[in-house]
Amino acid sequence: MTEHHHDERATCRELLKSLSDFIDGNLDESLCVEIEKHMAECDRCQVVVDTLRKTVELYQNIYPAPPVPDEVRQRLFVRLNLDDFLSRRQPEH
Amino acid sequence: MVETAQQDNLSLAAIQAGDRAEFARLVDLYSAPIYRLALRILGEPRDAEDVLQETFIKAYRHLKDFEGRSSISTWLYRIASNEAFMALRKRKPEAVSVDEEISTVDGEREPVQIEDWCCLPEAEFLSAESREHLDLAVGNLSPALKMVFMLRDIEGLSVRETAESLHISEAAVKTRLLRARLQLREELSQYYGERLKEVKQA
């Protein structure tokens, strides 16, 4: 691991604020270049960025998009007095 | 659920004029994402179903007031997130604040766990134990952070849509999202960091 000097630590703190935007690809190119340059010299920040990305990815993988169970839909339609439309199922988002 | 009513050829005017068939179409189009969100926030299928029903009952009642300034999906999310927060408040009144304090003097906590566990064998991430830790970590998020994380990272809403759904500023969405992600990363790093050591020793 890289030894941290005071100014490097300040850069790490600055980077922390932009991390979400960085991993989402929502940062200005110049700022991205700056972050990538810093990460090339700072193992610590590189690990934080990599594991943060992996964290989001893991959650996106474990949460599939299940449909509403049939009985839940049925009770919903009854509650809304829409039972006469129960047979027509629409594609879901 | 970022599609708009226009793309679904849903006629808002017809629904507002009392067309029940069109309202049924709206319910079918949006009940899955609403149910999903409620289930992830509340954890209990029974509670999620209550939120689902209340959301559409309120939507039906207030459709005439919907002015179309935001998309219909954002509007439905807003009702649903309010309902979910209310359900949480019923369970634990002291623990739930929608307008959670989000700014601290010194900003985000610095990362503590610095283990590069990304290189773990893929099977490690698919185990039942791993899943348990993922659920546990997300369960430790405050309701306000969890809601932003679910809408933005899991449902895929944009920052703006998330802000409109929760009636908070875009800056607040960004702060909460970062905080949620960092907290999850910290907790997962503890678990996967240990796994990494064990895998290396084996």
Side-chain angles (χ1 to χ4, degrees), chain A residues 1 46-59, chain B residues 113-122 124-125 130 134 181-197 199-200:
Chain A
M1 289 276 145
Q46 181 73 61
V47 169
V48 171
V49 167
D50 290 346
T51 49
L52 193 69
R53 238 189 221 127
K54 185 76 183 174
T55 296
V56 175
E57 185 195 308
L58 283 176
Y59 279 104
Chain B
Q113 302 284 336
I114 311 293
E115 284 292 342
D116 190 2
W117 45 267
C118 296
C119 54
L120 272 167
E122 204 49 35
E124 284 289 333
F125 299 116
S130 164
L134 287 163
R181 285 170 164 182
L182 285 173
Q183 186 181 324
L184 294 171
R185 192 206 72 88
E186 243 1 270
E187 292 195 31
L188 294 192
S189 293
Q190 271 183 34
Y191 168 66
Y192 289 123
E194 284 300 313
R195 293 300 309 145
L196 191 66
K197 274 183 214 151
V199 168
K200 275 182 184 164

mmCIF file of all heavy atoms in Angstrom, chain A residues 1 46-59, chain B residues 113-122 124-125 130 134 181-197 199-200:
data_model
loop_
_atom_site.group_PDB
_atom_site.id
_atom_site.type_symbol
_atom_site.label_atom_id
_atom_site.label_comp_id
_atom_site.label_asym_id
_atom_site.label_seq_id
_atom_site.Cartn_x
_atom_site.Cartn_y
_atom_site.Cartn_z
ATOM 1 N N MET A 1 0.832 -1.211 0.000
ATOM 2 C CA MET A 1 0.000 0.000 0.000
ATOM 3 C C MET A 1 0.865 1.259 0.000
ATOM 4 O O MET A 1 1.892 1.316 0.668
ATOM 5 C CB MET A 1 -0.868 0.054 1.262
ATOM 6 C CG MET A 1 -1.974 -0.963 1.265
ATOM 7 S SD MET A 1 -3.452 -0.435 0.388
ATOM 8 C CE MET A 1 -3.955 -2.013 -0.276
ATOM 9 N N GLN A 46 -7.882 3.255 -5.308
ATOM 10 C CA GLN A 46 -8.201 2.290 -6.362
ATOM 11 C C GLN A 46 -9.066 1.160 -5.796
ATOM 12 O O GLN A 46 -10.059 0.759 -6.391
ATOM 13 C CB GLN A 46 -6.897 1.715 -6.952
ATOM 14 C CG GLN A 46 -7.112 0.713 -8.069
ATOM 15 C CD GLN A 46 -7.576 1.375 -9.362
ATOM 16 O OE1 GLN A 46 -6.874 2.210 -9.923
ATOM 17 N NE2 GLN A 46 -8.768 1.020 -9.828
ATOM 18 N N VAL A 47 -8.688 0.669 -4.608
ATOM 19 C CA VAL A 47 -9.452 -0.421 -3.979
ATOM 20 C C VAL A 47 -10.857 0.063 -3.608
ATOM 21 O O VAL A 47 -11.847 -0.633 -3.827
ATOM 22 C CB VAL A 47 -8.706 -0.958 -2.726
ATOM 23 C CG1 VAL A 47 -9.612 -1.893 -1.918
ATOM 24 C CG2 VAL A 47 -7.438 -1.688 -3.129
ATOM 25 N N VAL A 48 -10.942 1.276 -3.076
ATOM 26 C CA VAL A 48 -12.259 1.802 -2.689
ATOM 27 C C VAL A 48 -13.158 1.907 -3.920
ATOM 28 O O VAL A 48 -14.321 1.484 -3.899
ATOM 29 C CB VAL A 48 -12.139 3.176 -1.972
ATOM 30 C CG1 VAL A 48 -13.514 3.802 -1.768
ATOM 31 C CG2 VAL A 48 -11.433 3.013 -0.622
ATOM 32 N N VAL A 49 -12.641 2.432 -5.005
ATOM 33 C CA VAL A 49 -13.446 2.571 -6.231
ATOM 34 C C VAL A 49 -13.867 1.200 -6.757
ATOM 35 O O VAL A 49 -15.037 0.970 -7.070
ATOM 36 C CB VAL A 49 -12.661 3.357 -7.321
ATOM 37 C CG1 VAL A 49 -13.332 3.235 -8.683
ATOM 38 C CG2 VAL A 49 -12.545 4.819 -6.930
ATOM 39 N N ASP A 50 -12.912 0.264 -6.815
ATOM 40 C CA ASP A 50 -13.233 -1.070 -7.340
ATOM 41 C C ASP A 50 -14.286 -1.782 -6.487
ATOM 42 O O ASP A 50 -15.216 -2.392 -7.007
ATOM 43 C CB ASP A 50 -11.971 -1.948 -7.406
ATOM 44 C CG ASP A 50 -11.016 -1.473 -8.495
ATOM 45 O OD1 ASP A 50 -11.439 -0.659 -9.340
ATOM 46 O OD2 ASP A 50 -9.846 -1.909 -8.491
ATOM 47 N N THR A 51 -14.122 -1.710 -5.177
ATOM 48 C CA THR A 51 -15.058 -2.434 -4.310
ATOM 49 C C THR A 51 -16.419 -1.717 -4.248
ATOM 50 O O THR A 51 -17.446 -2.357 -4.067
ATOM 51 C CB THR A 51 -14.496 -2.623 -2.883
ATOM 52 O OG1 THR A 51 -14.002 -1.380 -2.385
ATOM 53 C CG2 THR A 51 -13.375 -3.640 -2.858
ATOM 54 N N LEU A 52 -16.398 -0.411 -4.442
ATOM 55 C CA LEU A 52 -17.675 0.311 -4.475
ATOM 56 C C LEU A 52 -18.477 -0.085 -5.715
ATOM 57 O O LEU A 52 -19.677 -0.351 -5.657
ATOM 58 C CB LEU A 52 -17.427 1.829 -4.469
ATOM 59 C CG LEU A 52 -18.663 2.695 -4.196
ATOM 60 C CD1 LEU A 52 -19.135 2.540 -2.760
ATOM 61 C CD2 LEU A 52 -18.380 4.160 -4.478
ATOM 62 N N ARG A 53 -17.772 -0.142 -6.841
ATOM 63 C CA ARG A 53 -18.409 -0.572 -8.089
ATOM 64 C C ARG A 53 -18.968 -1.991 -7.947
ATOM 65 O O ARG A 53 -20.092 -2.280 -8.326
ATOM 66 C CB ARG A 53 -17.342 -0.579 -9.192
ATOM 67 C CG ARG A 53 -17.701 0.302 -10.320
ATOM 68 C CD ARG A 53 -16.775 0.141 -11.493
ATOM 69 N NE ARG A 53 -16.515 1.464 -12.030
ATOM 70 C CZ ARG A 53 -15.308 1.963 -12.235
ATOM 71 N NH1 ARG A 53 -14.244 1.267 -11.961
ATOM 72 N NH2 ARG A 53 -15.182 3.167 -12.726
ATOM 73 N N LYS A 54 -18.161 -2.860 -7.354
ATOM 74 C CA LYS A 54 -18.563 -4.262 -7.192
ATOM 75 C C LYS A 54 -19.777 -4.353 -6.264
ATOM 76 O O LYS A 54 -20.677 -5.167 -6.485
ATOM 77 C CB LYS A 54 -17.382 -5.062 -6.618
ATOM 78 C CG LYS A 54 -17.615 -6.544 -6.517
ATOM 79 C CD LYS A 54 -17.510 -7.235 -7.864
ATOM 80 C CE LYS A 54 -17.823 -8.711 -7.762
ATOM 81 N NZ LYS A 54 -17.874 -9.366 -9.080
ATOM 82 N N THR A 55 -19.798 -3.518 -5.226
ATOM 83 C CA THR A 55 -20.920 -3.507 -4.284
ATOM 84 C C THR A 55 -22.231 -3.229 -5.017
ATOM 85 O O THR A 55 -23.209 -3.971 -4.891
ATOM 86 C CB THR A 55 -20.690 -2.433 -3.193
ATOM 87 O OG1 THR A 55 -19.534 -2.792 -2.434
ATOM 88 C CG2 THR A 55 -21.881 -2.317 -2.255
ATOM 89 N N VAL A 56 -22.234 -2.165 -5.825
ATOM 90 C CA VAL A 56 -23.456 -1.798 -6.554
ATOM 91 C C VAL A 56 -23.844 -2.927 -7.513
ATOM 92 O O VAL A 56 -25.013 -3.323 -7.600
ATOM 93 C CB VAL A 56 -23.256 -0.467 -7.317
ATOM 94 C CG1 VAL A 56 -24.480 -0.149 -8.180
ATOM 95 C CG2 VAL A 56 -22.984 0.676 -6.335
ATOM 96 N N GLU A 57 -22.844 -3.471 -8.196
ATOM 97 C CA GLU A 57 -23.093 -4.547 -9.156
ATOM 98 C C GLU A 57 -23.710 -5.779 -8.473
ATOM 99 O O GLU A 57 -24.657 -6.378 -8.977
ATOM 100 C CB GLU A 57 -21.756 -4.901 -9.805
ATOM 101 C CG GLU A 57 -21.825 -5.921 -10.908
ATOM 102 C CD GLU A 57 -20.431 -6.470 -11.210
ATOM 103 O OE1 GLU A 57 -19.512 -5.672 -11.442
ATOM 104 O OE2 GLU A 57 -20.278 -7.711 -11.189
ATOM 105 N N LEU A 58 -23.189 -6.132 -7.285
ATOM 106 C CA LEU A 58 -23.717 -7.299 -6.568
ATOM 107 C C LEU A 58 -25.196 -7.106 -6.244
ATOM 108 O O LEU A 58 -26.004 -8.016 -6.413
ATOM 109 C CB LEU A 58 -22.941 -7.525 -5.269
ATOM 110 C CG LEU A 58 -21.553 -8.168 -5.391
ATOM 111 C CD1 LEU A 58 -20.882 -8.241 -4.023
ATOM 112 C CD2 LEU A 58 -21.661 -9.563 -5.990
ATOM 113 N N TYR A 59 -25.546 -5.911 -5.792
ATOM 114 C CA TYR A 59 -26.954 -5.670 -5.461
ATOM 115 C C TYR A 59 -27.833 -5.681 -6.698
ATOM 116 O O TYR A 59 -28.956 -6.177 -6.665
ATOM 117 C CB TYR A 59 -27.113 -4.353 -4.697
ATOM 118 C CG TYR A 59 -26.784 -4.511 -3.232
ATOM 119 C CD1 TYR A 59 -25.598 -4.051 -2.704
ATOM 120 C CD2 TYR A 59 -27.667 -5.187 -2.384
ATOM 121 C CE1 TYR A 59 -25.278 -4.235 -1.357
ATOM 122 C CE2 TYR A 59 -27.361 -5.378 -1.051
ATOM 123 C CZ TYR A 59 -26.168 -4.892 -0.537
ATOM 124 O OH TYR A 59 -25.869 -5.093 0.779
ATOM 125 N N GLN B 113 -12.366 0.023 5.632
ATOM 126 C CA GLN B 113 -12.004 -1.296 5.112
ATOM 127 C C GLN B 113 -11.342 -1.159 3.754
ATOM 128 O O GLN B 113 -11.967 -0.732 2.792
ATOM 129 C CB GLN B 113 -13.257 -2.167 4.972
ATOM 130 C CG GLN B 113 -14.032 -2.371 6.248
ATOM 131 C CD GLN B 113 -13.357 -3.373 7.165
ATOM 132 O OE1 GLN B 113 -12.599 -4.225 6.720
ATOM 133 N NE2 GLN B 113 -13.639 -3.260 8.459
ATOM 134 N N ILE B 114 -10.067 -1.521 3.702
ATOM 135 C CA ILE B 114 -9.371 -1.441 2.412
ATOM 136 C C ILE B 114 -8.854 -2.827 2.046
ATOM 137 O O ILE B 114 -7.682 -3.137 2.196
ATOM 138 C CB ILE B 114 -8.194 -0.434 2.454
ATOM 139 C CG1 ILE B 114 -8.617 0.898 3.055
ATOM 140 C CG2 ILE B 114 -7.612 -0.237 1.051
ATOM 141 C CD1 ILE B 114 -9.618 1.706 2.235
ATOM 142 N N GLU B 115 -9.768 -3.672 1.654
ATOM 143 C CA GLU B 115 -9.400 -5.013 1.169
ATOM 144 C C GLU B 115 -9.903 -5.117 -0.250
ATOM 145 O O GLU B 115 -11.058 -4.782 -0.517
ATOM 146 C CB GLU B 115 -10.117 -6.093 1.993
ATOM 147 C CG GLU B 115 -9.562 -6.344 3.361
ATOM 148 C CD GLU B 115 -8.184 -6.970 3.341
ATOM 149 O OE1 GLU B 115 -7.786 -7.516 2.287
ATOM 150 O OE2 GLU B 115 -7.507 -6.896 4.373
ATOM 151 N N ASP B 116 -9.068 -5.577 -1.151
ATOM 152 C CA ASP B 116 -9.547 -5.727 -2.524
ATOM 153 C C ASP B 116 -10.131 -7.127 -2.716
ATOM 154 O O ASP B 116 -9.438 -8.057 -3.105
ATOM 155 C CB ASP B 116 -8.412 -5.485 -3.515
ATOM 156 C CG ASP B 116 -8.952 -5.403 -4.931
ATOM 157 O OD1 ASP B 116 -10.185 -5.505 -5.112
ATOM 158 O OD2 ASP B 116 -8.149 -5.250 -5.870
ATOM 159 N N TRP B 117 -11.424 -7.228 -2.433
ATOM 160 C CA TRP B 117 -12.088 -8.535 -2.502
ATOM 161 C C TRP B 117 -12.770 -8.782 -3.842
ATOM 162 O O TRP B 117 -13.453 -9.802 -4.021
ATOM 163 C CB TRP B 117 -13.093 -8.687 -1.360
ATOM 164 C CG TRP B 117 -13.956 -7.476 -1.133
ATOM 165 C CD1 TRP B 117 -13.704 -6.456 -0.261
ATOM 166 C CD2 TRP B 117 -15.189 -7.148 -1.787
ATOM 167 N NE1 TRP B 117 -14.708 -5.519 -0.340
ATOM 168 C CE2 TRP B 117 -15.628 -5.918 -1.248
ATOM 169 C CE3 TRP B 117 -15.972 -7.772 -2.753
ATOM 170 C CZ2 TRP B 117 -16.809 -5.289 -1.668
ATOM 171 C CZ3 TRP B 117 -17.150 -7.162 -3.167
ATOM 172 C CH2 TRP B 117 -17.553 -5.933 -2.624
ATOM 173 N N CYS B 118 -12.580 -7.870 -4.788
ATOM 174 C CA CYS B 118 -13.239 -8.033 -6.097
ATOM 175 C C CYS B 118 -12.813 -9.319 -6.800
ATOM 176 O O CYS B 118 -13.561 -9.886 -7.583
ATOM 177 C CB CYS B 118 -12.919 -6.859 -7.024
ATOM 178 S SG CYS B 118 -13.559 -5.304 -6.431
ATOM 179 N N CYS B 119 -11.551 -9.771 -6.466
ATOM 180 C CA CYS B 119 -10.971 -10.923 -7.166
ATOM 181 C C CYS B 119 -11.416 -12.267 -6.588
ATOM 182 O O CYS B 119 -10.943 -13.310 -7.021
ATOM 183 C CB CYS B 119 -9.462 -10.836 -7.111
ATOM 184 S SG CYS B 119 -8.862 -10.663 -5.415
ATOM 185 N N LEU B 120 -12.300 -12.250 -5.593
ATOM 186 C CA LEU B 120 -12.793 -13.518 -5.034
ATOM 187 C C LEU B 120 -13.424 -14.370 -6.129
ATOM 188 O O LEU B 120 -14.002 -13.824 -7.078
ATOM 189 C CB LEU B 120 -13.860 -13.236 -3.966
ATOM 190 C CG LEU B 120 -13.406 -13.011 -2.530
ATOM 191 C CD1 LEU B 120 -14.563 -12.437 -1.711
ATOM 192 C CD2 LEU B 120 -12.906 -14.286 -1.889
ATOM 193 N N PRO B 121 -13.347 -15.695 -6.002
ATOM 194 C CA PRO B 121 -14.010 -16.538 -7.020
ATOM 195 C C PRO B 121 -15.507 -16.210 -7.076
ATOM 196 O O PRO B 121 -16.125 -15.945 -6.045
ATOM 197 C CB PRO B 121 -13.808 -17.963 -6.490
ATOM 198 C CG PRO B 121 -12.755 -17.880 -5.442
ATOM 199 C CD PRO B 121 -12.701 -16.480 -4.952
ATOM 200 N N GLU B 122 -16.067 -16.240 -8.272
ATOM 201 C CA GLU B 122 -17.458 -15.844 -8.484
ATOM 202 C C GLU B 122 -18.433 -16.609 -7.571
ATOM 203 O O GLU B 122 -19.421 -16.061 -7.103
ATOM 204 C CB GLU B 122 -17.810 -16.063 -9.965
ATOM 205 C CG GLU B 122 -18.952 -15.238 -10.508
ATOM 206 C CD GLU B 122 -18.884 -13.737 -10.197
ATOM 207 O OE1 GLU B 122 -17.757 -13.176 -10.158
ATOM 208 O OE2 GLU B 122 -19.951 -13.136 -9.961
ATOM 209 N N GLU B 124 -18.155 -17.379 -4.605
ATOM 210 C CA GLU B 124 -18.240 -16.741 -3.286
ATOM 211 C C GLU B 124 -19.407 -15.748 -3.224
ATOM 212 O O GLU B 124 -20.062 -15.593 -2.205
ATOM 213 C CB GLU B 124 -16.943 -15.989 -2.977
ATOM 214 C CG GLU B 124 -15.792 -16.872 -2.580
ATOM 215 C CD GLU B 124 -15.968 -17.494 -1.195
ATOM 216 O OE1 GLU B 124 -16.657 -16.894 -0.354
ATOM 217 O OE2 GLU B 124 -15.423 -18.584 -0.972
ATOM 218 N N PHE B 125 -19.637 -15.058 -4.347
ATOM 219 C CA PHE B 125 -20.686 -14.028 -4.380
ATOM 220 C C PHE B 125 -22.076 -14.630 -4.541
ATOM 221 O O PHE B 125 -23.080 -13.960 -4.357
ATOM 222 C CB PHE B 125 -20.420 -13.041 -5.525
ATOM 223 C CG PHE B 125 -19.110 -12.322 -5.395
ATOM 224 C CD1 PHE B 125 -18.100 -12.484 -6.325
ATOM 225 C CD2 PHE B 125 -18.876 -11.474 -4.307
ATOM 226 C CE1 PHE B 125 -16.886 -11.817 -6.196
ATOM 227 C CE2 PHE B 125 -17.668 -10.809 -4.175
ATOM 228 C CZ PHE B 125 -16.665 -10.977 -5.114
ATOM 229 N N SER B 130 -23.379 -15.394 1.413
ATOM 230 C CA SER B 130 -23.110 -14.097 0.814
ATOM 231 C C SER B 130 -24.417 -13.292 0.694
ATOM 232 O O SER B 130 -24.486 -12.112 1.036
ATOM 233 C CB SER B 130 -22.486 -14.297 -0.564
ATOM 234 O OG SER B 130 -22.530 -13.134 -1.327
ATOM 235 N N LEU B 134 -25.488 -9.611 2.187
ATOM 236 C CA LEU B 134 -25.986 -8.511 1.357
ATOM 237 C C LEU B 134 -27.292 -7.970 1.930
ATOM 238 O O LEU B 134 -27.493 -6.760 2.036
ATOM 239 C CB LEU B 134 -26.195 -8.985 -0.085
ATOM 240 C CG LEU B 134 -24.922 -9.230 -0.913
ATOM 241 C CD1 LEU B 134 -25.221 -10.061 -2.144
ATOM 242 C CD2 LEU B 134 -24.287 -7.907 -1.336
ATOM 243 N N ARG B 181 -24.114 3.897 -0.583
ATOM 244 C CA ARG B 181 -23.158 3.014 -1.260
ATOM 245 C C ARG B 181 -21.909 2.800 -0.407
ATOM 246 O O ARG B 181 -21.403 1.680 -0.315
ATOM 247 C CB ARG B 181 -22.752 3.635 -2.596
ATOM 248 C CG ARG B 181 -23.819 3.539 -3.681
ATOM 249 C CD ARG B 181 -23.407 4.397 -4.853
ATOM 250 N NE ARG B 181 -24.130 4.106 -6.081
ATOM 251 C CZ ARG B 181 -23.881 4.723 -7.236
ATOM 252 N NH1 ARG B 181 -22.959 5.659 -7.302
ATOM 253 N NH2 ARG B 181 -24.570 4.415 -8.317
ATOM 254 N N LEU B 182 -21.422 3.872 0.203
ATOM 255 C CA LEU B 182 -20.210 3.741 1.021
ATOM 256 C C LEU B 182 -20.458 2.862 2.239
ATOM 257 O O LEU B 182 -19.615 2.050 2.616
ATOM 258 C CB LEU B 182 -19.718 5.125 1.472
ATOM 259 C CG LEU B 182 -19.021 5.993 0.412
ATOM 260 C CD1 LEU B 182 -18.741 7.383 0.965
ATOM 261 C CD2 LEU B 182 -17.720 5.353 -0.060
ATOM 262 N N GLN B 183 -21.639 3.026 2.836
ATOM 263 C CA GLN B 183 -21.958 2.195 4.012
ATOM 264 C C GLN B 183 -22.044 0.717 3.620
ATOM 265 O O GLN B 183 -21.530 -0.157 4.325
ATOM 266 C CB GLN B 183 -23.278 2.672 4.645
ATOM 267 C CG GLN B 183 -23.588 1.940 5.951
ATOM 268 C CD GLN B 183 -24.907 2.386 6.576
ATOM 269 O OE1 GLN B 183 -25.273 3.564 6.504
ATOM 270 N NE2 GLN B 183 -25.630 1.452 7.187
ATOM 271 N N LEU B 184 -22.687 0.451 2.495
ATOM 272 C CA LEU B 184 -22.792 -0.936 2.025
ATOM 273 C C LEU B 184 -21.405 -1.502 1.715
ATOM 274 O O LEU B 184 -21.076 -2.629 2.081
ATOM 275 C CB LEU B 184 -23.684 -1.016 0.775
ATOM 276 C CG LEU B 184 -25.157 -0.678 0.978
ATOM 277 C CD1 LEU B 184 -25.873 -0.582 -0.374
ATOM 278 C CD2 LEU B 184 -25.846 -1.731 1.853
ATOM 279 N N ARG B 185 -20.589 -0.688 1.063
ATOM 280 C CA ARG B 185 -19.228 -1.132 0.720
ATOM 281 C C ARG B 185 -18.436 -1.494 1.978
ATOM 282 O O ARG B 185 -17.757 -2.511 2.045
ATOM 283 C CB ARG B 185 -18.488 -0.036 -0.050
ATOM 284 C CG ARG B 185 -17.190 -0.487 -0.701
ATOM 285 C CD ARG B 185 -16.203 0.656 -0.895
ATOM 286 N NE ARG B 185 -15.634 1.084 0.361
ATOM 287 C CZ ARG B 185 -14.545 0.554 0.922
ATOM 288 N NH1 ARG B 185 -13.893 -0.417 0.316
ATOM 289 N NH2 ARG B 185 -14.119 0.973 2.089
ATOM 290 N N GLU B 186 -18.556 -0.640 2.988
ATOM 291 C CA GLU B 186 -17.848 -0.876 4.251
ATOM 292 C C GLU B 186 -18.259 -2.222 4.854
ATOM 293 O O GLU B 186 -17.429 -3.025 5.241
ATOM 294 C CB GLU B 186 -18.272 0.202 5.228
ATOM 295 C CG GLU B 186 -17.324 1.226 5.812
ATOM 296 C CD GLU B 186 -15.880 1.259 5.438
ATOM 297 O OE1 GLU B 186 -15.105 0.579 6.128
ATOM 298 O OE2 GLU B 186 -15.500 1.977 4.517
ATOM 299 N N GLU B 187 -19.574 -2.455 4.916
ATOM 300 C CA GLU B 187 -20.062 -3.695 5.542
ATOM 301 C C GLU B 187 -19.706 -4.926 4.721
ATOM 302 O O GLU B 187 -19.312 -5.952 5.262
ATOM 303 C CB GLU B 187 -21.577 -3.609 5.770
ATOM 304 C CG GLU B 187 -21.905 -2.561 6.823
ATOM 305 C CD GLU B 187 -23.321 -2.681 7.346
ATOM 306 O OE1 GLU B 187 -23.856 -3.800 7.389
ATOM 307 O OE2 GLU B 187 -23.884 -1.638 7.721
ATOM 308 N N LEU B 188 -19.848 -4.807 3.403
ATOM 309 C CA LEU B 188 -19.505 -5.955 2.561
ATOM 310 C C LEU B 188 -18.007 -6.246 2.618
ATOM 311 O O LEU B 188 -17.586 -7.403 2.583
ATOM 312 C CB LEU B 188 -19.922 -5.716 1.107
ATOM 313 C CG LEU B 188 -21.420 -5.618 0.817
ATOM 314 C CD1 LEU B 188 -21.660 -5.681 -0.684
ATOM 315 C CD2 LEU B 188 -22.216 -6.712 1.517
ATOM 316 N N SER B 189 -17.215 -5.171 2.740
ATOM 317 C CA SER B 189 -15.752 -5.363 2.792
ATOM 318 C C SER B 189 -15.349 -6.152 4.029
ATOM 319 O O SER B 189 -14.386 -6.919 3.992
ATOM 320 C CB SER B 189 -15.039 -4.015 2.778
ATOM 321 O OG SER B 189 -15.227 -3.377 1.545
ATOM 322 N N GLN B 190 -16.067 -5.950 5.106
ATOM 323 C CA GLN B 190 -15.761 -6.720 6.322
ATOM 324 C C GLN B 190 -15.942 -8.208 6.066
ATOM 325 O O GLN B 190 -15.084 -9.022 6.381
ATOM 326 C CB GLN B 190 -16.693 -6.300 7.457
ATOM 327 C CG GLN B 190 -16.151 -5.145 8.256
ATOM 328 C CD GLN B 190 -17.053 -4.810 9.420
ATOM 329 O OE1 GLN B 190 -17.670 -5.697 9.994
ATOM 330 N NE2 GLN B 190 -17.133 -3.555 9.746
ATOM 331 N N TYR B 191 -17.083 -8.530 5.478
ATOM 332 C CA TYR B 191 -17.386 -9.937 5.234
ATOM 333 C C TYR B 191 -16.476 -10.531 4.151
ATOM 334 O O TYR B 191 -15.815 -11.554 4.366
ATOM 335 C CB TYR B 191 -18.860 -10.101 4.846
ATOM 336 C CG TYR B 191 -19.191 -11.470 4.307
ATOM 337 C CD1 TYR B 191 -19.117 -12.594 5.131
ATOM 338 C CD2 TYR B 191 -19.551 -11.653 2.970
ATOM 339 C CE1 TYR B 191 -19.399 -13.863 4.638
ATOM 340 C CE2 TYR B 191 -19.831 -12.914 2.470
ATOM 341 C CZ TYR B 191 -19.750 -14.009 3.300
ATOM 342 O OH TYR B 191 -20.033 -15.253 2.798
ATOM 343 N N TYR B 192 -16.443 -9.871 2.982
ATOM 344 C CA TYR B 192 -15.664 -10.439 1.886
ATOM 345 C C TYR B 192 -14.162 -10.381 2.172
ATOM 346 O O TYR B 192 -13.394 -11.198 1.667
ATOM 347 C CB TYR B 192 -15.992 -9.736 0.566
ATOM 348 C CG TYR B 192 -17.378 -10.073 0.048
ATOM 349 C CD1 TYR B 192 -18.310 -9.076 -0.201
ATOM 350 C CD2 TYR B 192 -17.744 -11.394 -0.192
ATOM 351 C CE1 TYR B 192 -19.584 -9.374 -0.670
ATOM 352 C CE2 TYR B 192 -19.012 -11.705 -0.657
ATOM 353 C CZ TYR B 192 -19.934 -10.692 -0.893
ATOM 354 O OH TYR B 192 -21.184 -11.003 -1.353
ATOM 355 N N GLY B 193 -13.740 -9.414 2.984
ATOM 356 C CA GLY B 193 -12.337 -9.335 3.382
ATOM 357 C C GLY B 193 -11.938 -10.583 4.159
ATOM 358 O O GLY B 193 -10.871 -11.162 3.941
ATOM 359 N N GLU B 194 -12.830 -11.015 5.045
ATOM 360 C CA GLU B 194 -12.593 -12.253 5.800
ATOM 361 C C GLU B 194 -12.574 -13.458 4.863
ATOM 362 O O GLU B 194 -11.735 -14.342 4.989
ATOM 363 C CB GLU B 194 -13.712 -12.458 6.848
ATOM 364 C CG GLU B 194 -13.591 -11.560 8.069
ATOM 365 C CD GLU B 194 -12.283 -11.768 8.813
ATOM 366 O OE1 GLU B 194 -11.925 -12.944 9.060
ATOM 367 O OE2 GLU B 194 -11.597 -10.761 9.109
ATOM 368 N N ARG B 195 -13.516 -13.462 3.938
ATOM 369 C CA ARG B 195 -13.580 -14.576 2.976
ATOM 370 C C ARG B 195 -12.282 -14.658 2.168
ATOM 371 O O ARG B 195 -11.764 -15.731 1.905
ATOM 372 C CB ARG B 195 -14.766 -14.405 1.996
ATOM 373 C CG ARG B 195 -16.145 -14.507 2.611
ATOM 374 C CD ARG B 195 -16.425 -15.846 3.273
ATOM 375 N NE ARG B 195 -16.130 -16.990 2.413
ATOM 376 C CZ ARG B 195 -15.641 -18.165 2.824
ATOM 377 N NH1 ARG B 195 -15.407 -18.347 4.105
ATOM 378 N NH2 ARG B 195 -15.399 -19.138 1.985
ATOM 379 N N LEU B 196 -11.782 -13.488 1.809
ATOM 380 C CA LEU B 196 -10.547 -13.416 1.029
ATOM 381 C C LEU B 196 -9.394 -14.068 1.789
ATOM 382 O O LEU B 196 -8.630 -14.852 1.227
ATOM 383 C CB LEU B 196 -10.229 -11.949 0.734
ATOM 384 C CG LEU B 196 -9.124 -11.673 -0.283
ATOM 385 C CD1 LEU B 196 -9.540 -12.152 -1.672
ATOM 386 C CD2 LEU B 196 -8.817 -10.167 -0.347
ATOM 387 N N LYS B 197 -9.298 -13.750 3.075
ATOM 388 C CA LYS B 197 -8.229 -14.331 3.897
ATOM 389 C C LYS B 197 -8.368 -15.862 3.931
ATOM 390 O O LYS B 197 -7.389 -16.589 3.781
ATOM 391 C CB LYS B 197 -8.313 -13.793 5.327
ATOM 392 C CG LYS B 197 -7.588 -12.466 5.498
ATOM 393 C CD LYS B 197 -7.639 -12.006 6.938
ATOM 394 C CE LYS B 197 -7.718 -10.496 7.001
ATOM 395 N NZ LYS B 197 -8.407 -10.000 8.189
ATOM 396 N N VAL B 199 -9.916 -17.828 1.804
ATOM 397 C CA VAL B 199 -9.658 -18.424 0.492
ATOM 398 C C VAL B 199 -8.157 -18.502 0.236
ATOM 399 O O VAL B 199 -7.645 -19.498 -0.286
ATOM 400 C CB VAL B 199 -10.361 -17.615 -0.630
ATOM 401 C CG1 VAL B 199 -9.874 -18.038 -2.013
ATOM 402 C CG2 VAL B 199 -11.876 -17.790 -0.532
ATOM 403 N N LYS B 200 -7.444 -17.452 0.633
ATOM 404 C CA LYS B 200 -5.982 -17.425 0.417
ATOM 405 C C LYS B 200 -5.279 -18.495 1.249
ATOM 406 O O LYS B 200 -4.293 -19.074 0.821
ATOM 407 C CB LYS B 200 -5.426 -16.046 0.773
ATOM 408 C CG LYS B 200 -5.530 -15.056 -0.379
ATOM 409 C CD LYS B 200 -4.913 -13.725 0.003
ATOM 410 C CE LYS B 200 -5.092 -12.707 -1.110
ATOM 411 N NZ LYS B 200 -4.856 -11.349 -0.617
#
